[in-house]
Amino acid sequence: MQPRSVMDALRLPPMRFLRSWWPWRSLLYLTSGGALGLATGFVLLGLLLGGAVLSLLVVGLAGFLAAALSGIVVARIERRRLRMVDDVRLTDPHRRPARPGLRAWLRTRLREPATWRELGYTMLMVTALCWLDGMVVALWFWIVTALVGGPLYIHSDEAPIELTLTGAVFGVVLGFVLLYPMSAWAAARAAITQAVLGPRMEMDAELTEVARSRARLVDAFEVERRRIERDLHDGAQQRLLALSMQLGLARLELPDGAPGAEPVARAHDLAKEALSELRELIRGVHPKILSDRGLHAALLEVADRAPLTVDVDAALPERLPGAVEACAYFVVVEALANVAKHSAATRARVVASVSRGRLTVQVRDDGRGGADPARGSGLSGLADRVAAGGGTVALASPVGGPTVLHVELPCA
């Protein structure tokens, strides 16, 4: 199997490694790295000095911007240079600007983490890596040329010709032997480049797209919930209410003891039960009070329906985004359901507030504590719901109580 990188080639038998192109590709990689680092250093120094001298003019700002964005050019060259010692293909992590033009391009690049990581790599290369590359290559050349070229500059009266010839032969052998540590440094150098410019940077765009996709899915899910709630409320519930009223009227028209009185009464009771269950279902899908009156009113309704005493302290100065309100509402509903089912609590308190663009919701009870998400108490699903909204969950539930659930959600 052919090696795909210099790191793989170093595991080959010595003679096979020395007969391959990998040592010379490593030498070229390190030599070009030293040259690129020195050239980049001079260019950056010129840009920074020019920006400092002309700092009172627009040109100075342009010089500093060029220095900040130089990492993009260096990183592009580094990704191409990496192919000398590794067959890996590193893709460009930068996304295309939303609008054409230099201003949009600059705004996009300056906001990308990849740009600043590339600049950091450029600074590391200029200050350290290129000098190490140059030292390794220069040391290899110096040792080889000093020994191999001995017969050319050492006179016979200074040392016997046999000794200089022996030194030349030894220099050739040592030169091949030293290809191993030089190639090892080239492999380490390539690993550093991949660690900074490789997978982490490629994941930035993927993670950003995943976050956006998750946000779109959450929004679409909430829109679908509202549509289902509206269809059930305006459609099925109204028809079932009309049916219940008709059965009630029919029940009144039938005298007691009539043959159909008992079946109609039974049907009327079943219709009322179905209507009650449908209302609970609608409230579980998306409560209408949440859409009409906001989170504060919805939390008060939840507290009224809870099987234990629930105090609500919601300092919400204005309406929040619909997805945030829905997430907070269902978090409180699930938390209170867990309190009623598992904690043996007699009282709970819900506190909601907005500060610095984040909604904080805290649910506290006086139960026995010991809540554990791993036991399937609904806390895992609650945490997933909050995470889908970009929020965080913290739970404190020592044995003996109290249990405190703390949730934070971004309001943007």
Side-chain angles (χ1 to χ4, degrees):
M1 183 177 179
Q2 293 295 328
R4 302 191 60 181
S5 67
V6 66
M7 183 67 74
D8 296 336
L10 285 169
R11 301 188 181 98
L12 297 175
M15 293 307 299
R16 185 181 173 188
F17 172 74
L18 294 176
R19 289 199 308 267
S20 68
W21 285 101
W22 289 107
W24 312 110
R25 291 171 68 171
S26 300
L27 179 62
L28 180 61
Y29 178 69
L30 295 178
T31 304
S32 62
L36 176 62
L38 289 175
T40 303
F42 283 118
V43 171
L44 286 177
L45 184 61
L47 290 172
L48 292 175
L49 289 177
V53 173
L54 301 174
S55 59
L56 299 179
L57 303 176
V58 178
V59 180
L61 178 60
F64 285 116
L65 278 177
L69 297 174
S70 62
I72 298 176
V73 179
V74 174
R76 184 169 298 178
I77 298 174
E78 282 292 278
R79 293 188 188 96
R80 292 183 178 274
R81 259 188 1 100
L82 190 62
R83 301 176 188 176
M84 298 180 185
V85 292
D86 202 321
D87 289 341
V88 68
R89 295 288 191 270
L90 299 184
T91 58
D92 192 341
H94 297 287
R95 65 180 185 271
R96 181 175 298 179
R99 295 185 300 274
L102 178 60
R103 184 175 181 180
W105 184 87
L106 285 174
R107 179 175 298 178
T108 302
R109 292 294 174 264
L110 292 175
R111 291 180 177 179
E112 289 179 322
T115 300
W116 303 105
R117 197 149 46 233
E118 289 171 343
L119 179 60
Y121 174 84
T122 301
M123 296 296 102
L124 177 64
M125 184 185 68
V126 169
T127 56
L129 295 180
C130 73
W131 300 101
L132 293 174
D133 293 346
M135 289 172 57
V136 171
V137 174
L139 185 62
W140 184 84
F141 271 109
W142 181 78
I143 293 175
V144 172
T145 55
L147 293 174
V148 174
L152 300 178
Y153 65 86
I154 298 178
H155 300 287
S156 58
D157 56 347
E158 297 177 2
I161 187 64
E162 295 84 0
L163 182 60
T164 56
L165 288 175
T166 302
V169 174
F170 179 72
V172 173
V173 176
L174 185 61
F176 280 103
V177 172
L178 291 178
L179 288 176
Y180 269 95
M182 185 189 67
S183 299
W185 168 244
R189 179 76 163 76
I192 294 173
T193 301
Q194 289 189 52
V196 181
L197 304 181
R200 282 182 59 191
M201 298 185 67
E202 292 173 4
M203 287 175 62
D204 282 347
E206 297 178 6
L207 291 176
T208 301
E209 183 57 31
V210 167
R212 291 176 178 173
S213 299
R214 186 176 67 176
R216 288 195 295 266
L217 286 174
V218 171
D219 291 340
F221 181 65
E222 287 302 322
V223 170
E224 185 65 15
R225 289 173 68 101
R226 293 184 182 221
R227 186 191 65 80
I228 294 173
E229 182 269 336
R230 185 173 59 252
D231 291 346
L232 290 175
H233 184 273
D234 298 337
Q237 181 180 245
Q238 297 303 322
R239 294 188 181 92
L240 194 56
L241 179 61
L243 174 62
S244 178
M245 292 177 62
Q246 291 295 327
L247 288 173
L249 293 175
R251 187 176 182 179
L252 293 175
E253 293 293 335
L254 290 174
D256 294 337
E262 184 177 351
V264 170
R266 179 62 178 160
H268 186 212
D269 294 337
L270 290 174
K272 290 191 291 184
E273 292 177 5
L275 183 60
S276 177
E277 292 178 1
L278 182 60
R279 285 172 176 165
E280 289 297 324
L281 176 62
I282 293 173
R283 188 180 292 110
V285 171
H286 191 90
K288 190 172 180 59
I289 189 174
L290 181 63
S291 301
D292 295 341
R293 299 174 55 191
L295 181 61
H296 190 180
L299 293 180
L300 291 175
E301 185 187 51
V302 172
D304 290 338
R305 292 189 287 108
L308 70 160
T309 304
V310 178
D311 300 320
V312 177
D313 181 8
L316 305 175
E318 57 185 11
R319 291 295 300 269
L320 302 174
V324 177
E325 288 189 338
C327 182
Y329 172 83
F330 287 110
V331 162
V332 173
V333 170
E334 183 66 30
L336 291 179
N338 287 334
V339 169
K341 187 183 299 183
H342 303 289
S343 70
T346 59
R347 197 175 193 91
R349 181 177 179 83
V350 178
V351 180
S353 62
V354 177
S355 177
R356 297 181 180 179
R358 295 183 71 84
L359 170 65
T360 300
V361 178
Q362 189 175 95
V363 181
R364 181 187 183 97
D365 67 72
D366 60 356
R368 57 175 173 244
D372 184 5
R375 294 206 300 261
S377 59
L379 294 173
S380 298
L382 185 150
D384 292 340
R385 181 188 293 274
V386 173
T392 58
V393 177
L395 176 69
S397 184
V399 176
T403 297
V404 179
L405 179 68
H406 185 89
V407 176
E408 290 190 10
L409 289 165
C411 296

